[in-house]
Amino acid sequence: MNAPAASLATAPAKAESFDCRQAFADELMTIAKADPRIVAVCNDSVGSSNLNAFQKAFPDRLINVGIAEQNMVGVAAGLANGGFVPFVCCASPFLTGRALEQIKADVAYNNYHVVLCGMSPGMSYGELGPTHHSIEDLSWLRAITDLSIVVPADPNQTRAAVRWAVDSGLPSFLRIGRFKVPSVSTEGDAFAYGRVDRIRDGSDVTLVATGVMVSRALAAAELLGARGISARVLNVSTIKPLDEAEIIAAARETRGIVTAEEAMVEGGLGAAVSQVVVRHAPVLMRLLGVRGFAPTGDTGFLLDHFGLNAEGIAAAALEIAG
Amino acid sequence: MLADIARAVRRSVVRTIDAARAGHIGGDLSVTDILTTLFFSVLDVDAAAPLKPERDRFILSKGHCAAALYSVLALRGFIPEEELATFMQPLSRLNGHPNRRKIPGVEANTGPLGHGLPIGVGSAVASKLSGTGWRTFVVLGDGELQEGSNWEAAMAAGHRKLDNLCAIVDRNRLQQGARTEDTNALDPLADKWTSFGWETIELDGHDHAALHAAFTAPSAGKPRAIIANTLKGKGVSFIEDRVEWHHKVPSAEQVVIALEELSA
């Protein structure tokens, strides 16, 4: 984290940042070359899911059902029934909103090994407006039994998460960020399913973040450090199932917890962490996320608008530990 | 022979619903001949190896007619016949809608309508991609066709010329609350499937020979839709073609009469 914290206050970050979507597509290609079970299913989203190379290499294994998300998820369940491992690549708002019942019934309740890839989640579509913001996805999907929810924070984690999704045999949702982010993990041990990574230790307050918010939480920790406050930073790349031990430790060892997610606060990461905290070690919490339908603005503007930047996270932490 | 089996399935449906005091008797009785013909003369499935990779796939999209499916699966050896008495009882694996995680022979956990055909399309694509060659059969209710997801799937199957996919519409012309044509009309139904790129066959859905011929006809190079004209409640005089028997449960006296009629 060499970039000055102030520059991270406005997203997308420009320097020293990397593309999760490209990492996703590259890893999927690599695995698909060796594993003929891998197929991609999409809804006219070949380009937006970076699947052009996949389509060129495996034209028969890219099933583009057109603009029909309910059918898309059902088709994926049928492909899984037939022994394939489908990666459903679709803009997250339409995948999770339009096809929610198919995700519940066809994928999770059937226990079919389908990998649902929510592309361009959160505020990725900025000025296209609330119809295109995928901010309810974490809330909706957390309520679905047997569906794992994985949110990689950087390209290393994205590649490792794709490998895990193939090997796991589990129905899963991967939330693949659209804008570039700084690297927050190491290549060798980037991602372990169900593990929360303590990527910075601290004793006064804990910042719990997921996905694109992780690098911003690290920047917030820098700001807090400058004010003499020691902030722990947790990267939650598996939201479900949640690593409760690391959350409980944070609640017991620091004075409070700030959660930050590019999603509605009703039901996402903050709610998941709260459920653990109230049961084991109640401490003050601040939940940062999206509240209400967003006004017009690009992604960076909107993240700033909702306080989802280093300053906003640091300010919330100061309310607890200031 | 199929007639004897179908009669046994219908009697099993009545007894199963009587024991549970719940179920969807009208649709169970309309779909019985379709299920019987498929499971006893068409499908390549094996109760001893229910997950063999090359098996034919059968999906009951109208999952609320689980009592008919369970009865057929029991007679076909997938589940014990005596277990039918546990239908919808606490902790029974025989839920009101089928669950593949618990019941061999079930490919998809259906219940919400409009889910079976998309899964069937995926299964048909998988068969072609893998070169294995299994066939996929999906039984749909007619009222269910008011769900848009069916037409997304129908469009995709037509576009892909999935000639290993067969959709059977149990066209009993009644849905839960009223006649289909008084609710949200489906006719001209055959024209709809044809226009989506399907071969369409219309037949008497209680005629086992006609059903068998349609299920086994040579490929026309496109997916096949069979519109099976049926009577909801077929075989029981006071249930036939009456909307109120969608999920009404017969009284003890009515059960006796129904079983008598189904013995003939």
Side-chain angles (χ1 to χ4, degrees):
Chain A
M1 287 301 304
N2 296 323
S7 76
L8 288 164
T10 53
K14 290 182 181 66
E16 294 288 299
S17 58
F18 306 94
D19 189 344
C20 292
R21 195 167 48 152
Q22 191 59 49
F24 165 82
D26 291 346
E27 191 65 28
L28 190 61
M29 273 291 286
T30 300
I31 298 173
K33 282 176 187 163
D35 186 345
R37 298 174 306 152
I38 305 295
V39 292
V41 184
C42 67
N43 65 332
D44 192 28
S45 49
V46 175
S48 60
S49 300
N50 279 23
L51 290 172
N52 286 306
F54 189 102
Q55 184 174 38
K56 195 171 173 194
F58 313 108
D60 295 341
R61 288 160 62 187
L62 184 133
I63 295 108
N64 183 352
V65 299
I67 307 164
E69 292 78 20
Q70 298 179 70
N71 186 46
M72 172 182 69
V73 174
V75 165
L79 284 159
N81 170 288
F84 289 89
V85 180
F87 276 68
V88 179
C89 302
C90 175
S92 196
F94 314 128
L95 169 62
T96 61
R98 184 68 70 100
L100 188 61
E101 188 180 78
Q102 280 75 15
I103 294 173
K104 170 191 167 184
D106 302 358
V107 176
Y109 184 42
N110 270 296
N111 198 30
Y112 275 130
H113 182 198
V114 172
V115 185
L116 302 160
C117 306
M119 314 304 290
S120 305
M123 287 293 176
S124 296
Y125 285 126
E127 55 273 60
L128 295 185
T131 56
H132 283 56
H133 298 159
S134 187
I135 50 179
E136 300 88 358
D137 50 3
L138 298 181
S139 308
W140 290 338
L141 299 183
R142 267 191 68 229
I144 295 179
T145 302
D146 289 342
L147 183 72
S148 299
I149 302 175
V150 169
V151 186
D154 70 6
N156 287 335
Q157 285 212 306
T158 302
R159 281 188 287 271
V162 170
R163 292 193 291 272
W164 165 81
V166 172
D167 295 338
S168 72
L170 299 172
S172 62
F173 173 74
L174 304 187
R175 203 177 194 239
I176 307 297
R178 184 181 183 90
F179 59 81
K180 294 182 177 179
V181 287
S183 185
V184 296
S185 66
T186 51
E187 182 96 47
D189 186 28
F191 169 80
Y193 173 65
R195 182 185 74 194
V196 166
D197 290 312
R198 193 184 305 191
I199 56 175
R200 177 182 168 125
D201 211 352
S203 53
D204 291 325
V205 65
T206 302
L207 313 178
V208 181
T210 190
V212 298
M213 298 311 301
V214 174
S215 59
R216 289 154 183 258
L218 281 171
E222 292 287 329
L223 294 179
L224 291 164
R227 300 187 57 156
I229 292 170
S230 166
R232 181 180 299 188
V233 178
L234 304 184
N235 172 15
V236 181
S237 46
T238 309
I239 289 186
K240 187 177 156 203
L242 186 61
D243 177 357
E244 297 199 353
E246 192 61 30
I247 302 298
I248 294 167
R252 290 192 173 139
E253 295 164 15
T254 67
R255 288 154 63 189
I257 294 174
V258 177
T259 61
E261 60 197 306
E262 196 192 7
M264 296 296 288
V265 291
E266 291 93 347
L269 171 70
V273 172
S274 302
Q275 282 183 281
V276 177
V277 167
V278 296
R279 205 164 66 243
H280 295 281
V283 287
L284 278 180
M285 288 186 64
R286 292 290 181 274
L287 276 58
L288 296 180
V290 178
R291 295 172 189 272
F293 292 123
T296 305
D298 64 22
T299 303
F301 169 84
L302 291 176
L303 293 180
D304 289 342
H305 174 81
F306 290 110
L308 294 171
N309 54 25
E311 284 79 2
I313 297 168
L318 285 171
E319 289 179 20
I320 293 172
Chain B
M1 179 196 177
L2 285 176
D4 296 333
I5 299 171
R7 197 175 299 117
V9 171
R10 285 195 167 89
R11 290 171 57 82
S12 171
V13 163
V14 171
R15 284 195 298 264
T16 300
I17 287 175
D18 180 34
R21 304 309 298 159
H24 290 80
I25 195 164
D28 286 335
L29 295 175
S30 73
V31 81
T32 293
D33 297 297
I34 297 166
L35 298 185
T36 300
T37 306
L38 279 170
F39 273 88
F40 287 90
S41 71
V42 176
L43 293 177
D44 175 11
V45 290
D46 183 354
L51 291 175
K52 67 174 180 177
E54 69 276 18
R55 71 193 181 278
D56 285 336
R57 265 60 168 184
F58 171 78
I59 297 167
L60 182 68
S61 191
K62 47 178 286 180
H64 56 281
C65 291
L69 178 63
Y70 297 153
S71 294
V72 168
L73 288 175
L75 289 172
R76 191 72 167 69
F78 283 87
I79 56 174
E81 277 190 68
E82 55 271 23
E83 193 176 345
L84 294 172
T86 71
F87 180 51
M88 287 208 260
Q89 298 308 300
L91 303 181
S92 168
R93 61 177 176 163
L94 303 184
N95 193 277
H97 297 89
N99 184 343
R100 69 175 283 272
R101 295 163 76 165
K102 297 184 176 174
I103 307 161
V106 172
E107 302 284 354
N109 300 5
T110 50
L113 298 172
H115 285 245
L117 194 57
I119 297 172
V121 169
S123 163
V125 171
S127 173
K128 286 190 180 286
L129 266 182
S130 63
T132 312
W134 71 77
R135 297 181 68 197
T136 300
F137 296 84
V138 181
V139 168
L140 301 134
D142 54 355
E144 173 178 12
L145 295 178
Q146 291 158 359
E147 291 280 8
S149 51
N150 290 306
W151 301 104
E152 293 182 4
M155 194 184 293
H159 175 76
R160 293 177 171 274
K161 298 184 167 50
L162 296 176
D163 63 351
N164 55 354
L165 175 65
C166 179
I168 304 101
V169 180
D170 181 8
R171 183 71 169 119
N172 60 37
R173 309 189 80 88
L174 292 176
Q175 53 195 100
Q176 176 174 298
R179 305 194 79 78
T180 58
E181 301 314 283
D182 294 336
T183 306
N184 195 14
L186 299 168
D187 284 333
L189 187 53
D191 292 351
K192 286 186 172 67
W193 289 95
T194 304
S195 73
F196 276 70
W198 290 58
E199 175 197 15
T200 308
I201 299 173
E202 202 161 357
L203 47 68
D204 175 353
H206 303 303
D207 181 336
H208 300 131
L211 284 165
H212 183 269
F215 293 144
T216 55
S219 162
K222 51 174 96 170
R224 178 173 298 154
I226 297 172
I227 298 174
N229 291 307
T230 57
L231 266 183
K232 201 160 178 175
K234 171 73 174 176
V236 179
S237 57
F238 56 89
I239 299 180
E240 279 185 0
D241 202 33
R242 289 175 196 264
V243 70
E244 64 268 26
W245 279 96
H246 178 74
H247 54 201
K248 192 172 159 184
V249 178
S251 66
E253 297 75 24
Q254 288 171 322
V255 167
V256 172
I257 298 168
L259 290 174
E260 273 174 17
E261 292 186 11
L262 292 169
S263 300

